[in-house]
Amino acid sequence: MEKLVDEGKVRFIGVSNFSVRDLINAQAVLAKQRIVANQVRYSLVERTIEGGLLQYCQKNGITVITYSPLATGLGNIRAADPEGVLRRVAEAACKSKAQVALNWCISRENVIAIPKASTVAHVMEDVGASGWKLQLDLARLLEERMRYRRRGPFEIGARRAVRWGMQMIGRWQ
Ligand SMILES: NC(=O)c1ccc[n+]([C@@H]2O[C@H](COP(=O)([O-])OP(=O)(O)OC[C@H]3O[C@@H](n4cnc5c(N)ncnc54)[C@H](OP(=O)(O)O)[C@@H]3O)[C@@H](O)[C@H]2O)c1
């Protein structure tokens, strides 16, 4: 990857789904460049990276690019929100539910989001998620009243082992 930067083919080095250990190991073998971004899953309902990875990236100037910031669809956020907190917060902030969910992600230091949208209307709506700040009491409501998942080290390790196993099987086919 450093060779690609030297040749001017890419400007910066970014990675995806790297743990803190992966980032440390990868950075250690880079002679000149530093890792500038890590693309990971993060949303109102999937907050595993708050267990340490988010803080490590913030401390080391690594931009967190959150994928699935709408939990792959608003229906999945609704399922974790039986009290309808997101709708209430969206009404109070005069924004849409998607805009609030995205704004919550990008309000974190050094975090940006890459929602997928397949209609112009959704793209336009999602663009409107930036350029404003949710009031503290509304943000607190989202954080305290919505259900979310934060995987522990054992579960993270097990998932990585399964993914690694699948990749190995793929290579042998
Ligand atoms: N690095 C990785 O391992 C990894 C893994 C997964 C995904 N990604 C990337 O992450 C990006 C997005 O993640 P994702 O597709 O998993 O999930 P996402 O962005 O959380 O959710 C996409 C869903 O949200 C809907 N949506 C978008 N804007 C909306 C709006 N304003 N109102 C209502 N619904 C809205 C989309 O509907 P419509 O399609 O109808 O607009 C789509 O069904 C993609 O670019 C993907 O390539 C990366």
Side-chain angles (χ1 to χ4, degrees):
M1 290 172 91
E2 265 183 335
K3 192 164 170 270
L4 294 175
V5 178
D6 285 344
E7 291 169 352
K9 291 182 176 154
V10 297
R11 289 179 65 196
F12 300 107
I13 296 175
V15 295
S16 180
N17 294 321
F18 269 34
S19 64
V20 169
R21 198 174 54 182
D22 293 334
L23 287 168
I24 292 169
N25 289 343
Q27 188 59 66
V29 297
L30 293 172
K32 294 173 285 184
Q33 300 295 327
R34 56 177 210 88
I35 294 167
V36 303
N38 188 16
Q39 191 180 126
V40 290
R41 186 186 298 266
Y42 188 49
S43 70
L44 271 171
V45 297
E46 169 46 77
R47 295 170 55 181
T48 298
I49 65 168
E50 292 176 359
L53 181 60
L54 175 62
Q55 295 82 342
Y56 178 85
C57 290
Q58 288 170 332
K59 202 168 150 210
N60 290 278
I62 299 169
T63 298
V64 172
I65 302 175
T66 69
Y67 68 75
S68 307
L70 295 170
T72 73
L74 285 183
N76 292 326
I77 296 186
R78 243 188 328 269
D81 182 22
E83 294 178 52
V85 176
L86 180 59
R87 181 184 43 79
R88 287 187 354 235
V89 168
E91 282 169 7
C94 297
K95 301 288 177 187
S96 73
K97 286 179 281 189
Q99 286 172 335
V100 169
L102 293 172
N103 183 273
W104 178 84
C105 287
I106 62 175
S107 66
R108 264 94 191 105
E109 182 198 330
N110 228 16
V111 173
I112 63 171
I114 50 163
K116 173 230 154 197
S118 39
T119 64
V120 172
H122 278 171
V123 172
M124 296 308 287
E125 187 178 331
D126 295 351
V127 166
S130 63
W132 53 277
K133 232 173 156 40
L134 207 53
Q135 279 173 20
L136 274 182
D137 56 331
L138 294 178
R140 200 170 306 128
L141 208 58
L142 289 174
E143 281 166 30
E144 290 173 2
R145 303 291 283 274
M146 285 184 63
R147 295 184 196 150
Y148 62 88
R149 182 169 51 196
R150 191 180 289 162
R151 292 194 170 98
F154 179 76
E155 197 185 344
I156 295 171
R159 286 169 64 88
R160 286 170 68 89
V162 168
R163 203 160 46 221
W164 180 83
M166 306 276 276
Q167 282 168 354
M168 288 301 122
I169 291 168
R171 277 192 203 169
W172 285 102
Q173 280 177 346

